[in-house]
Amino acid sequence: MLEDASIQQRLLQTTESLIYAGGINATGMDAIVKASGVARKSIYRLYPTKEALVAAALRARDERWMRWFIDGTSSGEPRARLLAIFPLLRSWFESADFRGCAFINAAGETGDPSSEIRAVARLHKQRLLGYLNEITTACGLADAAGVARQLLLLIDGATAVAMVTGQADAADCAGQTASMLLQTPNAQ
């Protein structure tokens, strides 16, 4: 059982890494088998389809990414926590393996809106929005839910711009916009 968990973890990490670097459609099962060292038969015993495997890898990424994001924005008073989001994002944008939002990338590659992959991407955005709503509520904002949605748009927009342009300072611009947003009457 412990060996199965180790194999599964290696398979999910490898799958996530490959699809994040090259995309879902460009990553064949042969590449996953070769890079993970997990036999095709074992993969299909754990995950009956490539879609199920990719969805599981994305769920694992969601857990890890949310833990990183929450840890990086959990100290200080609520407004400081909100503004800490953007320097944290900049550090991610500056990393050598930054390829944008894995969930937006995956959803963009998946034509079927009811696919398991799209469902995982949607869940990730819901979890992120929920966390932002917790912080905006703790700030005592008049329209905490609305400001949380606006912050989600700033986060996703900065991530997309940084991925497309290679400019990590998209996080700085989004942070400046967030600062102005928190000074508006809706945020008071």
Side-chain angles (χ1 to χ4, degrees), residues 124-174:
H124 171 74
K125 295 305 175 186
Q126 290 167 346
R127 286 188 67 201
L128 180 53
L129 179 60
Y131 177 67
L132 295 170
N133 196 50
E134 286 176 25
I135 303 173
T136 58
T137 299
C139 285
L141 303 179
D143 182 14
V147 173
R149 285 191 306 275
Q150 292 168 335
L151 289 168
L152 178 62
L153 289 174
L154 288 172
I155 290 166
D156 283 344
T159 303
V161 168
M163 191 258 306
V164 170
T165 67
Q167 296 175 341
D169 67 351
D172 304 337
C173 185

Side-chain angles (χ1 to χ4, degrees), residues 2-156:
L2 193 57
E3 185 177 326
D4 277 354
S6 174
I7 288 170
Q8 188 172 13
Q9 182 179 12
R10 184 173 72 237
L11 176 61
L12 293 177
Q13 287 172 343
T14 301
T15 301
E16 178 198 332
S17 178
L18 290 172
I19 64 170
Y20 185 60
I24 297 167
N25 295 324
T27 303
M29 289 303 290
D30 288 340
I32 293 170
V33 167
K34 184 177 180 180
S36 70
V38 178
R40 187 179 299 270
K41 185 175 181 178
S42 295
I43 293 173
Y44 285 116
R45 182 175 48 82
L46 293 166
Y47 303 99
T49 64
K50 180 182 173 185
E51 180 175 348
L53 172 60
V54 169
L58 287 171
R59 278 191 290 278
R61 182 179 182 94
D62 170 62
E63 287 298 323
R64 193 179 65 258
W65 194 93
M66 287 300 298
R67 192 170 41 251
W68 166 80
F69 190 78
I70 291 168
D71 289 349
T73 59
S74 62
S75 61
E77 55 92 16
R79 283 183 187 260
R81 292 174 60 199
L82 288 175
L83 295 176
I85 290 169
F86 300 96
L88 181 66
L89 289 177
R90 184 179 180 125
S91 71
W92 177 40
F93 299 169
E94 291 174 333
S95 66
D97 65 343
F98 174 71
R99 302 283 185 276
C101 175
F103 304 95
I104 292 173
N105 296 348
E109 278 197 72
T110 307
D112 180 3
S114 64
S115 77
E116 187 177 5
I117 292 168
R118 187 77 65 92
V120 173
R122 199 170 23 258
L123 174 66
H124 171 74
K125 295 305 175 186
Q126 290 167 346
R127 286 188 67 201
L128 180 53
L129 179 60
Y131 177 67
L132 295 170
N133 196 50
E134 286 176 25
I135 303 173
T136 58
T137 299
C139 285
L141 303 179
D143 182 14
V147 173
R149 285 191 306 275
Q150 292 168 335
L151 289 168
L152 178 62
L153 289 174
L154 288 172
I155 290 166
D156 283 344

